[in-house]
């Protein structure tokens, strides 16, 4: 754990930058001795060219474990350091998201002089409620929320907060209501939020990842499971290869002109909307009823033009 003295001698941005450098360097080179790490550290001017102290390195290892869950081990034979649990940075993990966020933060912190040449998306909406919601999730306390859907009357409700999900630049709260219904609340539509004194028991076998596993996005209705096959045209094959739409995505066939991909998913409105977003780049092949539904949606859209 970092000591207070150590924290006072460095700015948080500098510390995070060093964490990210160590992780990325070990990911790139797989295994390095402390001497090899120190050489690259100085070559990259991580600490203004100053050498990496072993005591600082050990503190960084502890902090990286605490923050990201990444274990930096040392091979007792070769004395080389390596990341022993690389799977912790899988695409859907909170550690991966935090790591990516801090990496971007570090890059931007070093680029304030050229901020006018950086074009960013808007920050996720509803972040002002994150602190109290996370506190409620951590301590298993019920929340009283005021909520107003678009073009609907507002209301208040007491809920058991189960999980948070970030989707398309909006934060969503997955919560259990008093009538045992799972509901999704967009944080940007919350009008009031209070932490209550009442606690609840979180089911030991409940997993938010499992709950959303069969869906794309945040809509979790009773849409039946389907084996969806799409044909990706033009630019889309490489787009899908580098940024899969769903964890079940599999590439079935490929030609110079197109590639076919399959998904085992509940094709909710969220998923169909994502397919439509890619316009002529995506064609639904199977199941036929879903292909027809997509055709009808496109026909209705054309009527507006």
């Amino acid at each position: 754990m970092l000591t207070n003295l150590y924290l006072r001698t460095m700015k948080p941005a500098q510390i995070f930058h060093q964490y990210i450098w160590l992780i990325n360097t070990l990911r790139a080179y797989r295994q390095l001795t402390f001497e090899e790490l120190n050489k690259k550290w100085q070559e990259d001017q991580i600490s203004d060219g100053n050498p990496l102290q072993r005591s600082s390195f050990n503190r960084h290892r502890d902090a990286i474990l605490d923050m990201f869950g990444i274990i930096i081990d040392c091979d007792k034979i070769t004395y080389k350091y390596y990341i022993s649990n690389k799977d912790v940075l899988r695409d859907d993990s909170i550690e991966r998201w935090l790591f990516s966020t801090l990496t971007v933060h570090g890059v931007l912190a070093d680029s304030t002089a050229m901020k006018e040449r950086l074009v960013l998306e808007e920050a996720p909406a509803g972040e002002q409620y994150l602190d109290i919601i996370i506190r409620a999730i951590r301590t298993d306390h019920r929340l009283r929320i005021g909520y107003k859907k678009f073009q609907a009357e507002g209301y208040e409700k007491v809920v058991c907060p189960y999980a948070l999900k970030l989707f398309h630049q909006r934060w969503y709260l997955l919560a259990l209501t008093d009538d045992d219904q799972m509901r999704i609340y967009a944080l940007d539509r919350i009008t009031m939020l209070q932490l209550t004194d009442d606690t609840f028991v979180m089911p030991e076998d409940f997993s938010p990842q499992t709950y959303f596993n069969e869906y794309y996005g945040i809509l979790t209705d009773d849409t039946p499971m389907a084996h969806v096959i799409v044909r990706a045209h033009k630019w889309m094959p490489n787009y899908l290869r580098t940024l899969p739409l769903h964890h079940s995505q599999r590439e079935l066939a490929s030609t110079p002109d197109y590639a076919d991909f399959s998904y085992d998913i509940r094709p909710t409105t969220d998923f169909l909307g994502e397919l439509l977003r890619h316009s002529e780049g995506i064609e639904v092949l199977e199941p036929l009823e879903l292909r027809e539904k997509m055709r009808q949606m496109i026909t209705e859209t054309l009527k507006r033009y």
Side-chain angles (χ1 to χ4, degrees):
M1 189 64 66
L2 295 175
T3 64
N4 291 333
L5 175 62
Y6 184 65
L7 285 171
R8 285 198 298 269
T9 60
M10 296 183 65
K11 295 179 180 179
Q14 292 175 312
I15 298 173
F16 292 144
H17 177 63
Q18 294 183 7
Y19 297 164
I20 300 303
W21 183 90
L22 284 169
I23 295 168
N24 281 336
T25 300
L26 288 174
R27 291 176 76 192
Y29 292 94
R30 300 182 182 275
Q31 292 192 354
L32 292 170
T33 64
F34 178 77
E35 290 71 23
E36 291 169 335
L37 264 173
N38 188 27
K39 181 180 179 181
K40 295 183 182 300
W41 175 280
Q42 292 177 276
E43 289 174 348
D44 290 348
Q45 298 284 308
I46 299 303
S47 183
D48 297 324
N50 295 315
L52 172 63
Q53 301 298 322
R54 189 174 289 274
S55 58
S56 297
F57 173 63
N58 289 331
R59 283 193 294 265
H60 285 359
R61 288 174 65 193
D62 292 340
I64 288 170
L65 176 59
D66 289 342
M67 183 174 293
F68 304 108
I70 295 175
I71 301 172
I72 298 178
D73 267 333
C74 182
D75 189 305
K76 295 181 179 179
I77 298 176
T78 63
Y79 295 103
K80 290 190 174 185
Y81 290 93
Y82 64 99
I83 296 175
S84 61
N85 60 337
K86 294 181 180 179
D87 289 345
V88 76
L89 290 179
R90 65 185 187 279
D91 288 343
D92 61 345
S93 69
I94 186 65
E95 292 86 0
R96 171 72 179 187
W97 182 83
L98 180 60
F99 175 71
S100 177
T101 300
L102 288 176
T103 299
V104 173
H105 175 273
V107 171
L108 295 183
D110 291 338
S111 307
T112 53
M114 50 172 290
K115 62 181 180 181
E116 298 302 327
R117 296 174 65 179
L118 298 174
V119 182
L120 306 176
E121 292 185 347
E122 292 185 10
E127 72 278 0
Q128 68 269 32
Y129 297 116
L130 287 177
D131 182 63
I132 189 171
I133 292 175
I134 290 174
R135 197 184 322 159
I137 291 175
R138 187 175 64 245
T139 60
D140 291 336
H141 276 75
R142 287 184 169 88
L143 286 170
R144 179 179 298 278
I145 67 171
Y147 197 74
K148 188 179 186 306
K149 295 181 179 180
F150 295 133
Q151 298 177 335
E153 292 293 325
Y155 61 87
E156 288 190 12
K157 187 177 287 289
V158 175
V159 301
C160 303
Y162 272 32
L164 282 164
K165 182 177 176 68
L166 181 62
F167 179 65
H168 285 178
Q169 293 180 263
R170 279 190 168 92
W171 283 105
Y172 294 88
L173 170 65
L174 174 65
L176 183 72
T177 63
D178 286 339
D179 54 353
D180 290 327
Q181 298 295 314
M182 295 296 288
R183 291 288 184 264
I184 297 285
Y185 300 96
L187 267 60
D188 61 334
R189 291 171 229 167
I190 290 178
T191 58
M192 180 273 294
L193 189 67
Q194 292 178 345
L195 188 70
T196 73
D197 293 329
D198 298 328
T199 60
F200 68 95
V201 178
M202 180 74 177
E204 293 184 2
D205 60 348
F206 181 82
S207 165
Q209 288 75 21
T210 301
Y211 182 82
F212 288 104
N213 189 57
E214 297 174 345
Y215 299 91
Y216 173 85
I218 51 94
L219 291 180
T220 55
D221 55 29
D222 57 357
T223 299
M225 283 288 293
H227 184 65
V228 180
I229 298 178
V230 305
R231 178 158 292 173
H233 300 272
K234 299 182 178 180
W235 68 89
M236 281 304 297
N238 286 331
Y239 182 95
L240 293 178
R241 289 173 186 136
T242 55
L243 193 64
L245 294 183
H246 189 255
H247 66 85
S248 66
Q249 177 177 300
R250 300 290 183 271
E251 185 167 349
L252 304 179
S254 178
T255 75
D257 299 319
Y258 64 82
D260 293 344
F261 297 85
S262 70
Y263 302 89
D264 292 301
I265 196 172
R266 295 182 185 270
T268 62
T269 303
D270 276 349
F271 183 63
L272 300 186
E274 180 64 18
L275 296 182
L276 287 172
R277 187 171 73 87
H278 298 292
S279 60
E280 72 271 24
I282 286 284
E283 174 190 2
V284 174
L285 300 182
E286 298 179 16
L288 293 181
E289 57 268 27
L290 187 61
R291 180 181 174 87
E292 175 61 21
K293 185 174 182 178
M294 290 286 289
R295 190 192 67 79
Q296 292 174 0
M297 293 172 70
I298 293 171
T299 300
E300 291 300 314
T301 300
L302 286 174
K303 289 179 180 179
R304 299 183 183 276
Y305 293 88

